[in-house]
Amino acid sequence: MQTSVTRYLEEEGVEYRLLPHRQPAKTVEEAARERGVDPQQMVKSILLRDMSGFHVLACVPGPAQVDPTKVRNMFGCRRMTCVSASDVEKVTGLIIGTVAPIGLKQPLPIIFDHSITAHSHVNISSGDRMAGIELATDDLLVLCDPMLADICRTA
């Protein structure tokens, strides 16, 4: 399977493992089950936008929720919201549910919740609904060069 994400990993010489799905996953929990991994090791990528059109890719562990207020405060934005599915595709080049923090159509500021670094390996979307990718967390950090912060919503 070739996607913008797998091509990028191959171009960079990064080892990864493709984890095929039997069926497309609609939730992080379904994707984790299809891949046979812990949902905490899944990296969920959420595209946020402020009122001026500034975009940020916020990445949190699978079961967690991004807190747009925490992200907005990092950039001094007045308001920040999740973008529509059509805007996700326009900005990232990937459809909603397949966005990874690498292989994007254009460079974006990327923020990882610091808890992602707790695992030696993580799972990201492959750019296709029928597979995920497992790779070393350190490799993903080098490729993305994200900001690290506390961006998860608390209960």
Side-chain angles (χ1 to χ4, degrees):
M1 170 182 294
Q2 283 285 310
T3 68
S4 61
V5 176
T6 60
R7 277 190 298 279
Y8 182 76
L9 289 169
E10 288 163 10
E11 286 167 9
E12 294 296 320
V14 173
E15 278 188 39
Y16 69 92
R17 190 165 62 113
L18 192 67
L19 302 170
H21 295 193
R22 289 182 310 279
Q23 60 189 19
K26 293 180 181 75
T27 65
V28 167
E29 291 75 19
E30 286 177 15
R33 201 168 33 254
E34 283 288 322
R35 298 174 196 178
V37 300
D38 179 349
Q40 287 291 339
Q41 288 181 271
M42 306 279 290
V43 175
K44 182 166 55 180
S45 300
I46 307 295
L47 186 64
L48 301 172
R49 168 185 190 280
D50 80 350
M51 307 271 292
S52 71
F54 171 71
H55 291 91
V56 175
L57 193 66
C59 299
V60 297
Q65 303 262 329
V66 172
D67 186 335
T69 302
K70 290 179 179 180
V71 175
R72 141 183 129 208
N73 289 341
M74 291 180 67
F75 291 97
C77 301
R78 255 193 20 234
R79 186 163 180 252
M80 195 158 260
T81 58
C82 294
V83 303
S84 68
S86 63
D87 282 348
V88 166
E89 190 169 0
K90 282 180 205 160
V91 173
T92 67
L94 298 163
I95 60 170
I96 199 162
T98 69
V99 177
I102 56 174
L104 301 168
K105 181 174 153 180
Q106 64 187 24
L108 292 169
I110 298 174
I111 305 172
F112 277 21
D113 187 83
H114 60 84
S115 61
I116 289 172
T117 63
H119 302 281
S120 63
H121 285 78
V122 290
N123 266 254
I124 60 173
S125 294
S126 67
D128 187 292
R129 289 187 191 268
M130 291 304 290
I133 290 175
E134 182 176 88
L135 73 163
T137 306
D138 287 346
D139 286 340
L140 185 61
L141 292 170
V142 167
L143 293 172
C144 296
D145 192 25
M147 290 179 255
L148 294 172
D150 172 16
I151 59 167
C152 288
R153 182 170 281 155
T154 52

